[in-house]
Amino acid sequence: MPATILDGNKIAADIRAEVAAEVKALSGAGIRPGLAVVLVGNHPASEIYVRGKVKSSEEVGLYSEKHTPSEHATTEALLELIGELNRRDEIDGILVQLPLPRQVDAKKVLLAVDPSKDVDGFHPMNVGFLSTQRPGLVPCTPSGIMELIDRSGIRVAGQEAVVVGRSDIVGKPMAMLLVNANATVTICHSKTRDLAGVSRRADILVAAIGRAGMITPDFVKPGATVIDVGMNRVTDAAEFERLFRGNRQRQETFRAKGSVLVGDVHPEAAKIAGAITPVPGGVGPLTIAMLMSNTLRAAKMRRGNRVAELSKV
Ligand code: NAP
């Protein structure tokens, strides 16, 4: 039986609608949560991501503003900008789009973001809150995956989960969220021995690697839930054939555009999995939806007392 397709677009739309309703309710109390996005230089992919984030903010009723320092910006100039955004009360969320130019000390800049406004959840204080199960801000991609799993009715407690990838942005916080939800978690990386064998133990397999179609059917336990975080653009014809031989729809896209987007999971794995996220249309849309949700959450946590007071009036 083919795998159930976990529709990230649908779940992301539900989350955005919930955020929009809460933002509207807050506006009745005179509060409009605000997001500041910092885009340094002219990175084409980053420009597309930031445009999507600003557009989505407008759609759910958040205030948003974009700061675009030049690609020659210094660490000091960015620290000054972050300091100013930290001080402004109407800004609840600060997002520094990565990657930053080489001359910038990215760790220093991310560390300067007020943890209560750190809607990416990258600040060590939020990392600590997550690992000690205290309220905080959690990175958007893994928290979106947890929403997708929960809202699809997939059981986590007691299940074997394997996360392939140990980045600070996806793999590690993903593993932490799964262990907090009572899964038995294994984290794999480039030095893991017998990756296919370890992956095959998973009831829930999360692939966050950045290698097109690396998770082939022999990595997947029959009936497992497979979450594909990878976003890889394939332009090579032989690589395309390895992944999509016989797929007419993808062949047409490849012919027309010269490339296709593919995850870290080989499309044939869908024949073995019980449920699987597509690429595109799986994890990607959830990441932006959770940024909206995190900005709302930051506003409620920062201005919590005022929200309670104003709603009494
Ligand atoms: P990353 O920082 O490059 O981390 C990749 C991880 O994969 C590393 O831990 C690395 O191991 C591991 N890895 C690489 N090659 C491997 C191999 N052959 N076998 C086993 N493990 C291997 O990447 P990331 O930022 O986590 O992103 C991963 C993917 O998710 C990328 O395709 C990215 O574009 C995508 N992504 C998507 C979204 C979304 O919204 N959909 C959001 C974020 C990221 P080592 O640590 O040993 O090097």
Side-chain angles (χ1 to χ4, degrees), residues 78-97:
L78 293 180
L79 291 176
E80 206 168 300
L81 172 61
I82 300 293
E84 183 198 319
L85 296 171
N86 283 343
R87 284 188 291 277
R88 284 176 51 200
D89 190 45
E90 73 279 21
I91 297 298
D92 296 287
I94 302 170
L95 182 143
V96 181
Q97 184 65 42

Side-chain angles (χ1 to χ4, degrees), residues 7-13 16 56 278 280-290:
D7 185 350
N9 281 321
K10 157 89 179 60
I11 293 172
R16 286 199 308 271
S56 194
V283 174
L286 284 158
T287 300
I288 293 195
M290 293 314 290

